[in-house]
Amino acid sequence: MSMIDYLPCSFQRFARFVGDEVRPYPGRVNVMLRCVLTSALVIIASMALQIPFLALSLIVVFYVTQANVVMTRLVGVLFFIGSTVAVGSAMLVLKLTYDYALLRILAAGVLFFVSVYLMRVVKIGVVFFIVGIIVIYVQTFVDLTDQAELLVRLVMWVWVAVNYAIALTLVINTLFLPAEPAQQLDAAMRRQLGVVDARLGDFERGASTAPALSALDIQTGMLTLQKLLRFATMRDPEYRRNQALQLARVAAVSRLYSATLYLPASAEGISADRVPTLRAACRELDRAIQAGERFVAPGALATMISDGVPGALLDMRSALLSFADRSATPDAKESDAEKDRLMVPDALTNPVYAQFALKTLMAAMFSYVFYVATDWQGIHTIMLSCLIVAQPSLGASSQRAILRIGGAAVGSLLALAMLVWIVPHIDGIVGLLMMSLPVIALGAWVTAGSERISYAGTQLMFTFALALLEHFGPTTNLTEVRDRMIGILLGVAVSTVVHASLWPEAEGEPLRQRLARLLRQVGAHLRQDEQKGPIPAPLWAELGDCEAMSARVALEPGWQWGEGQQEALTLRIQTMLAQAREILLAADAFDAERHALRIPEGTEAAVAALKDALAGSLDDYASNLSDHPQAVRSPSAVSLNALIDRRASDVARLRDDAARAAYDRLLVRARNLANEVSSLPGWDVASTNTAYITRASQT
């Protein structure tokens, strides 16, 4: 047993969560190194040229540095536009209202309200986020001095601090360690093909040396390839000219990767040349991707006899031949109307957006009044926190608040330790870099993780930099560390109270409706009769969105069905989403065996009836989930008797061992699919209590 097993249940879950989030993955070191290198140059430049607001420059580096060059340039351009508009707007407000405090606050409030509103309804909302945060931040400058010229200089230095950091980040990301999306896509496809080759080798030997795949691995692999293909198309004109070929290649690799999940246990009874032929074809595809050449299917693959071959192997053969012929059909793309649309469809009719902007403005104004009334300069982060924590839902706001507080706490502790033990011994830029860069590297590593933890890394670095790097010389003032943390805590508290009290945006009900819609889509996918490629990427994306939404809902303070049932209800949702994923892959495996077996018309009718009955069970479950959630029961088991009878009749007539084995594989897949559907959890109170008790006993 590991040390984690001796911790309480909640600490075990937290330790496993942190362990999963900080583990390395391809490309994470690259992102961290680019952040660290750019940050080092920014520190040297700011200290040498005495450019103020170093912490602001560093956080810009973290925001602009993205996973690949395309996203880095896009975010950099948006930050340049946003900072320029923000500084211009702030200076205009100061010019017109400098001598009239009330009018200045009203003008800044209106500008802040419009920025937060546009942040919610416009696709490039990050631009208006920058406008809002700079406008409210500049108001703190007015209280530092009564000299208008000095105030203008401070505002102009904000623009310089932001944009020179953007320019330096773009240079570093273009010239050093550039992460090209086309190269990332090729590497990701080759990794998946490596897994396919290893799994086929295990299947051929009857051994198990390759790591086991899960349904989540298949989903993540498909979405990763689709995302990288989108970035590569944006970056490379060659990809845009050959978009159909690139889509076909991604579809082929995804289909090969998903087919490995339902390979039989061994190759017993299969001709010895079948698996080596497929492995050779997969290796040829890998070589073609590496060399940038067109894939040509080996002749042995086209002439391979399909009788008696399991559905997973035939699915692989079909994927390779389809790609060689470029006959794969690309997924439906976003319509031109969706691409051209700048704002959300209900931007002018839905009152939620205006309510969100008003709540955020009220929280910021309450914080500003407290900041001015107490004359506590060190807690100016109280206003910034109100905008940073403001998210479209209570769960998302809670998640952001937790990450902000957690990152700030770790950054403050590191800054405190440096102030006590390291700063007194530093007398030059080398010592400053040796002290700062390890902390920046830690923050960059966390920032390069998933959305569930990335903001904590940015906040860790920013809090550390605010405490130690805002001056052009050593600082030993411990009160700055304290004040920054107090400002963050107060801002989070004010924002949480305001957003939870006024027009709270809970996602519990939308999540339930979205889950029901997801299950209907799974049922529609199950009913399809034609030979399918990989599970459509939009369906995987919808499943991923539901998972992210359920994580936010779990953090909502009021979404509970009875006292003590929050954890049990969250478990129900997670179980349902996991089952939906398993149903999709079980349906794929069943269809692969079905198309591998040449079955008579009567058996085909029994197969169609089974699929329709299973899809009907999903539709009924979804309808109850949508309309009567507390009465939802697990679907009843669908009978396989009709398919079993047809199998017995066909095998007795054919008297063929290969046909019998093929029918047996089909029946196994059918039983597995039916079991996955009937394993969907009940949402009634009794099921929830049972799940809660079971979960408690396991942990």
Side-chain angles (χ1 to χ4, degrees):
M1 295 179 66
S2 64
M3 293 181 62
I4 295 178
D5 295 324
Y6 294 99
L7 297 174
C9 301
S10 57
F11 285 102
Q12 288 185 28
R13 289 194 294 272
F14 178 74
R16 292 191 179 98
F17 168 77
V18 173
D20 290 340
E21 290 297 328
V22 300
R23 65 183 178 183
Y25 63 82
R28 192 166 191 171
V29 173
N30 182 282
V31 175
M32 183 196 72
L33 290 177
R34 283 184 280 132
C35 274
V36 171
L37 178 58
T38 311
S39 298
L41 295 178
V42 165
I43 292 173
I44 294 172
S46 292
M47 290 296 174
L49 302 176
Q50 293 196 351
I51 301 174
F53 308 116
L54 175 54
L56 185 60
S57 299
L58 290 175
I59 199 172
V60 167
V61 171
F62 270 55
Y63 274 125
V64 175
T65 302
Q66 298 291 315
N68 56 64
V69 174
V70 172
M71 288 301 298
T72 298
R73 291 181 178 177
L74 177 61
V75 174
V77 171
L78 292 178
F79 264 65
F80 171 76
I81 296 173
S83 62
T84 303
V85 173
V87 169
S89 302
M91 291 184 66
L92 185 62
V93 169
L94 293 175
K95 177 179 177 61
L96 298 177
T97 64
Y98 179 74
D99 294 324
Y100 308 96
L102 180 59
L103 190 59
R104 172 175 57 83
I105 297 302
L106 290 176
V110 170
L111 194 57
F112 183 83
F113 176 88
V114 173
S115 299
V116 177
Y117 180 85
L118 293 175
M119 188 178 75
R120 279 289 299 268
V121 302
V122 178
K123 280 188 175 181
I124 53 172
V126 65
V127 171
F128 299 100
F129 170 79
I130 298 169
V131 173
I133 205 165
I134 289 182
V135 164
I136 202 68
Y137 183 49
V138 164
Q139 304 311 307
T140 64
F141 295 170
V142 181
D143 302 301
L144 295 177
T145 179
D146 57 356
Q147 300 180 28
E149 182 180 356
L150 181 58
L151 184 59
V152 171
R153 287 179 178 272
L154 284 174
V155 176
M156 291 298 295
W157 274 119
V158 169
W159 187 89
V160 173
V162 169
N163 287 285
Y164 105 86
I166 292 174
L168 196 55
T169 303
L170 293 179
V171 170
I172 295 301
N173 280 267
T174 302
L175 300 180
F176 300 94
L177 303 173
E180 293 288 349
Q183 297 174 0
Q184 291 177 318
L185 176 61
D186 290 349
M189 288 191 291
R190 296 192 64 207
R191 281 195 299 271
Q192 293 190 17
L193 288 174
V195 173
V196 172
D197 183 72
R199 299 284 292 175
L200 285 173
D202 287 350
F203 172 68
E204 185 179 17
R205 295 187 299 269
S208 180
T209 58
L213 289 176
S214 67
L216 182 59
D217 294 328
I218 303 301
Q219 176 187 353
T220 304
M222 161 71 85
L223 294 178
T224 298
L225 295 187
Q226 291 289 334
K227 180 177 67 175
L228 290 175
L229 176 61
R230 193 162 59 247
F231 292 148
T233 304
M234 294 167 58
R235 167 71 167 164
D236 193 343
E238 184 68 23
Y239 267 73
R240 287 194 292 274
R241 284 194 294 270
N242 299 317
Q243 190 171 10
L245 174 64
Q246 305 303 337
L247 282 168
R249 185 172 64 165
V250 166
V253 173
S254 296
R255 195 170 169 188
L256 291 169
Y257 192 57
S258 62
T260 60
L261 196 64
Y262 46 89
L263 280 170
S266 69
E268 184 179 355
I270 302 173
S271 298
D273 62 333
R274 308 289 172 82
V275 178
T277 299
L278 280 170
R279 291 189 72 184
C282 290
R283 288 172 178 173
E284 175 60 23
L285 176 58
D286 179 79
R287 189 202 63 78
I289 292 174
Q290 182 182 21
E293 300 175 356
R294 185 168 180 175
F295 171 67
V296 178
L301 184 68
T303 59
M304 189 178 83
I305 300 175
S306 59
D307 291 343
V309 177
L313 298 183
L314 285 186
D315 211 14
M316 291 181 176
R317 174 177 178 267
S318 175
L320 291 165
L321 292 176
S322 296
F323 174 55
D325 297 335
R326 293 187 57 182
S327 59
T329 303
D331 289 329
K333 294 181 289 183
E334 189 180 24
S335 67
D336 292 336
E338 288 294 325
K339 289 182 179 179
D340 296 337
R341 181 179 290 154
L342 181 63
M343 304 177 70
V344 296
D346 58 347
L348 301 178
T349 57
N350 194 337
V352 169
Y353 306 126
Q355 292 169 355
F356 173 78
L358 182 58
K359 289 186 295 185
T360 307
L361 174 61
M362 291 177 64
M365 288 297 103
F366 288 154
S367 301
Y368 181 74
V369 169
F370 179 81
Y371 164 78
V372 173
T374 57
D375 194 22
W376 196 348
Q377 298 292 338
I379 63 167
H380 65 267
T381 50
I382 186 172
M383 287 93 70
L384 305 183
S385 296
C386 292
L387 180 59
I388 292 172
V389 170
Q391 297 294 309
S393 70
L394 287 176
S397 296
S398 300
Q399 185 180 52
R400 178 59 66 90
I402 292 171
L403 293 178
R404 182 164 172 79
I405 292 173
V410 175
S412 297
L413 289 175
L414 290 173
L416 184 62
M418 298 295 182
L419 281 171
V420 174
W421 289 299
I422 306 297
V423 171
H425 305 286
I426 291 178
D427 56 3
I429 190 66
V430 175
L432 180 66
L433 290 175
M434 292 181 66
M435 176 189 72
S436 304
L437 292 185
V439 179
I440 292 174
L442 173 62
W445 183 268
V446 177
T447 301
S450 70
E451 291 184 0
R452 297 188 298 176
I453 198 173
S454 62
Y455 182 71
T458 304
Q459 187 59 48
L460 183 156
M461 181 281 304
F462 186 60
T463 306
F464 177 84
L466 275 177
L468 294 184
L469 304 179
E470 279 293 271
H471 305 283
F472 301 120
T475 178
T476 56
N477 189 358
L478 299 180
T479 60
E480 291 193 9
V481 178
R482 178 202 65 189
D483 291 348
R484 299 290 187 270
M485 196 66 205
I486 291 176
I488 290 171
L489 291 173
L490 289 175
V492 169
V494 171
S495 182
T496 301
V497 170
V498 172
H499 280 267
S501 303
L502 300 175
W503 308 296
E505 294 185 61
E507 288 186 298
E509 179 63 20
L511 173 62
R512 187 162 55 84
Q513 299 299 330
R514 192 165 188 174
L515 292 174
R517 186 169 68 249
L518 171 67
L519 288 177
R520 293 190 183 98
Q521 293 175 2
V522 174
H525 179 76
L526 186 59
R527 284 192 175 95
Q528 294 179 8
D529 292 327
E530 69 275 7
Q531 175 80 37
K532 299 192 290 288
I535 297 168
L539 196 50
W540 282 130
E542 179 68 15
L543 183 57
D545 290 343
C546 288
E547 290 172 331
M549 197 172 180
S550 68
R552 296 194 300 267
V553 168
L555 296 174
E556 290 182 0
W559 198 70
Q560 298 184 38
W561 290 6
E563 184 178 357
Q565 300 304 309
Q566 182 91 12
E567 182 180 357
L569 193 56
T570 301
L571 178 63
R572 295 289 89 191
I573 298 173
Q574 293 172 348
T575 302
M576 201 213 78
L577 290 171
Q579 283 303 121
R581 190 185 297 115
E582 297 293 344
I583 290 169
L584 283 171
L585 292 173
D588 245 23
F590 177 70
D591 278 333
E593 295 295 347
R594 170 196 174 194
H595 291 292
L597 177 63
R598 298 184 181 133
I599 54 180
E601 185 177 345
T603 304
E604 182 68 27
V607 168
L610 173 64
K611 293 178 66 177
D612 190 66
L614 292 172
S617 296
L618 289 175
D619 289 343
D620 292 340
Y621 185 92
S623 297
N624 289 330
L625 181 61
S626 176
D627 301 330
H628 310 289
Q630 295 191 7
V632 174
R633 301 290 191 275
S634 297
S636 301
V638 174
S639 174
L640 301 178
N641 290 336
L643 188 59
I644 293 173
D645 292 342
R646 294 301 310 179
R647 178 260 182 201
S649 174
D650 290 344
V651 170
R653 179 168 53 83
L654 294 173
R655 299 183 182 280
D656 186 346
D657 291 340
R660 182 180 294 108
Y663 266 105
D664 287 341
R665 287 196 298 268
L666 178 67
L667 199 58
V668 168
R669 298 301 183 191
R671 185 173 290 110
N672 181 50
L673 177 58
N675 289 338
E676 297 293 353
V677 172
S678 62
S679 296
L680 284 167
W683 280 49
D684 56 289
V685 177
S687 298
T688 303
N689 287 333
T690 302
Y692 184 81
I693 294 171
T694 303
R695 175 77 170 177
S697 64
Q698 291 175 346
T699 57

